[in-house]
């Protein structure tokens, strides 16, 4: 099952939203180079059809569509980020806890 939101990840339930986002960033940083390239290619595969569609629209009708696309961008790409990072959440959580302990001291 694919997680659409960070709140659907069981390991992240005790954390606040900002902390979940930091853990996700740490998990993505743990990806290998080839995994990062695959992540970016997967995002492009989702976004390219929208850009092709926008290329055929002329005039001011494009402005509202671009605003909607800007708002939908996180909804389209977040599940991809979560899917690629899910294997690294355990490492990211331990790293996050270590960072919080060192910041507290």
């Amino acid at each position: 099952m694919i997680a659409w939101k960070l709140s659907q990840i069981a390991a992240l339930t005790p954390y606040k939203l900002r902390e979940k986002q930091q853990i996700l960033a740490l998990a993505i940083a743990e990806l290998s180079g080839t995994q990062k390239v695959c992540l970016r290619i997967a995002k492009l595969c989702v976004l390219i059809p929208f850009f092709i569609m926008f290329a055929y629209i002329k005039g001011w009708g494009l402005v509202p569509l671009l605003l909607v696309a800007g708002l939908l961008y996180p909804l389209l790409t977040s599940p991809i980020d979560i899917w690629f990072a899910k294997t690294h959440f355990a490492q990211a959580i331990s790293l996050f806890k270590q960072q919080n302990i060192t910041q507290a001291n």
Side-chain angles (χ1 to χ4, degrees), residues 39-99:
L39 170 65
R40 285 172 177 83
I41 289 172
K43 285 183 179 181
L44 280 175
C45 287
V46 169
L47 296 175
I48 283 174
F50 292 103
F51 288 116
I52 291 172
M53 180 181 67
F54 293 153
Y56 290 105
I57 300 171
K58 296 180 182 176
W60 287 100
L62 182 62
V63 174
L65 292 175
L66 288 174
L67 290 172
V68 170
L71 294 173
L72 289 179
Y73 176 79
L75 295 175
L76 294 173
T77 59
S78 294
I80 299 170
D81 286 335
I82 293 169
W83 189 75
F84 272 87
K86 68 181 174 183
T87 57
H88 298 282
F89 276 134
Q91 292 173 300
I93 289 170
S94 64
L95 186 60
F96 178 75
K97 288 179 181 178
Q98 289 175 356
Q99 287 178 352

Side-chain angles (χ1 to χ4, degrees), residues 3-45:
W4 294 93
K5 301 182 290 185
L6 287 171
S7 61
Q8 295 174 331
I9 306 295
L12 300 179
T13 52
Y15 300 101
K16 296 177 185 174
L17 178 62
R18 182 64 65 186
E19 294 170 339
K20 290 177 186 180
Q21 291 171 340
Q22 290 173 347
I23 292 170
L24 177 64
L26 290 171
I28 290 175
E30 293 291 321
L31 294 174
S32 68
T34 55
Q35 289 174 325
K36 287 181 183 179
V37 169
C38 289
L39 170 65
R40 285 172 177 83
I41 289 172
K43 285 183 179 181
L44 280 175
C45 287

